Amino acid sequence: MAYSNELYQQVILDHNRKPRNFRKIEEPTHVCPGHNPLCGDHITVYIHTEGDVVSDVSFEGSGCAISKASASMMTESVKGKTLAEVKKMFEEFHGMLMGELDVDQDQHKLGKLSLFQGVKQYSSRVKCAALSWHALVGALDLKTEISTE
Ligand code: ZN
């Protein structure tokens, strides 16, 4: 999918208005609250794994449009993936935000997550987009909470 600012705006608005998997998992195998003090975003990520597969993933919380939309798209992207695939996707997403991965030139499996490439120009927004991913990986690493600071 080619990047366009208009498409990015549409997707962010859509996921902010109708966040996917915005609920609690009653008996999660992993859970981790994440906080981005820079913006005031609070996102808790719930995961249910079966073997090494993320069989269900969800989030709750409040935050800016970018943090919510990113969390919503993160849940859609990692559901059904293996833990190894999820960690690889986190590395690629984080690399893109840090400007280390060029989504047009480098190989990656980010799919529509590459829409977030424009965020790297706005350093204060990078943590908003990355928050739910840090909470996801934090949960898998059995952390009790994470902060982007
Ligand atoms: Zn934010």
Side-chain angles (χ1 to χ4, degrees):
M1 190 186 295
Y3 173 76
S4 86
N5 199 45
E6 197 181 333
L7 183 59
Y8 167 76
Q9 299 286 357
Q10 276 175 15
V11 170
I12 296 284
L13 282 175
D14 177 54
H15 279 266
N16 186 44
R17 221 169 9 222
K18 293 178 294 182
R20 320 300 200 267
N21 303 302
F22 189 75
R23 58 187 159 82
K24 192 175 176 175
I25 291 175
E26 285 309 328
E27 289 181 16
T29 52
H30 304 75
V31 58
C32 183
H35 179 212
N36 172 18
L38 204 65
C39 179
D41 310 315
H42 287 269
I43 301 254
T44 298
V45 171
Y46 302 88
I47 306 169
H48 198 277
T49 57
E50 279 171 32
D52 71 339
V53 172
V54 175
S55 55
D56 197 10
V57 54
S58 69
F59 77 104
E60 278 187 332
S62 60
C64 66
I66 292 179
S67 68
K68 271 174 72 182
S70 179
S72 174
M73 290 174 72
M74 178 275 287
T75 61
E76 283 193 318
S77 299
V78 304
K79 203 165 175 175
K81 298 282 194 300
T82 66
L83 299 181
E85 287 169 331
V86 167
K87 293 224 162 147
K88 175 89 177 133
M89 206 178 277
F90 167 76
E91 280 165 24
E92 289 180 348
F93 189 76
H94 197 254
M96 174 183 71
L97 292 181
M98 294 292 118
E100 291 155 7
L101 179 116
D102 182 333
V103 292
D104 297 320
Q105 305 279 337
D106 303 329
Q107 258 198 334
H108 64 85
K109 292 185 175 170
L110 288 171
K112 65 183 176 182
L113 293 172
S114 62
L115 278 175
F116 283 93
Q117 67 178 285
V119 171
K120 66 175 181 248
Q121 299 161 45
Y122 309 99
S123 57
S124 65
R125 288 308 193 181
V126 165
K127 288 180 176 175
C128 301
L131 176 61
S132 58
W133 285 89
H134 284 293
L136 175 82
V137 171
L140 292 173
D141 289 343
L142 306 176
K143 296 202 173 126
T144 51
E145 62 179 331
I146 64 100
S147 168
T148 53
E149 255 190 347

